[in-house]
Amino acid sequence: KIACGGEVLDDATTIASAKLDASSDLTAVVMNSIKVRRHVYQARGGAPPYRGYHLVATDEVELEPGKKLGEQWTKMVPEDGYPGPSGYKAFPVAFQSTPSFEVPKKWEGGMNEVNVEQDLLPEDVFGVDGEVELAVLLPMRGMD
C-alpha cells in the first residue's frame, strides 16, 4: 500500500500518476498479513436471559491479503469440539469495534454489522486499520 499525506492511495495508483512534488510525504507498506481481532460466541439454551450467543474466546487471526475469505475459512472459524464437520453452520460477521474496545459478553448484534462474504478479500471486509473486528457465532449442538 502507498499513502501520501496520510491518505491511502488506490491500488491502481502509480507514483507517477499521484503527482507528487519534493515536499510530499510518501509512505509505502508491504503487507503480508491482515490481523483481525476475533470473538467466538457459542449458542446456549435455557430460559432467558441465558439463551443466546455467549462469549467463549477472544484472540487474533492473521489473514493473507491476496486470498479470498472462503479460502481462509478455517483460519476464521474455529473447531467447535464436536466430531464431524466443524464450522459449516457457523455464522461469521464483521462489525466496527467500539471506542473502548470492550467485547460484549452476550452477542446482541454489533455496530455496523455486515455478513462475511466468502468471495471477498480480507481488506474489503476488515480494512487494514484494525477498526473492524470479527464475531463468529457457533450454533448450539446437542440437546437444549
Side-chain angles (χ1 to χ4, degrees):
K1 291 290 175 187
I2 299 174
C4 183
E7 181 181 337
V8 178
L9 304 177
D10 184 37
D11 287 343
T13 304
T14 63
I15 293 175
S17 68
K19 299 180 181 163
L20 304 174
D21 59 29
S23 66
S24 296
D25 181 26
L26 183 66
T27 304
V29 177
V30 177
M31 294 179 4
N32 58 3
S33 70
I34 293 178
K35 294 181 182 181
V36 177
R37 191 169 169 211
R38 174 180 69 179
H39 313 287
V40 179
Y41 292 85
Q42 179 75 51
R44 293 184 188 162
Y50 305 105
R51 180 177 295 275
Y53 289 97
H54 293 268
L55 183 67
V56 294
T58 293
D59 59 5
E60 188 175 85
V61 294
E62 290 189 22
L63 302 174
E64 297 176 49
K67 285 188 176 179
K68 292 184 179 182
L69 292 171
E71 298 173 50
Q72 304 182 75
W73 203 253
T74 56
K75 290 181 181 180
M76 294 187 305
V77 178
E79 295 287 328
D80 63 5
Y82 285 89
S86 179
Y88 65 98
K89 290 188 178 180
F91 186 65
V93 293
F95 68 100
Q96 186 177 352
S97 61
T98 62
S100 65
F101 293 101
E102 288 186 27
V103 182
K105 299 294 182 198
K106 184 176 179 184
W107 183 256
E108 295 176 354
M111 187 166 45
N112 299 323
E113 179 181 320
V114 295
N115 293 338
V116 174
E117 304 276 339
Q118 291 192 28
D119 60 337
L120 295 176
L121 295 172
E123 182 181 345
D124 299 333
V125 175
F126 301 107
V128 295
D129 57 9
E131 292 183 9
V132 178
E133 299 184 8
L134 173 66
V136 179
L137 309 178
L138 298 175
M140 183 170 60
R141 300 206 25 196
M143 297 185 54
D144 183 4

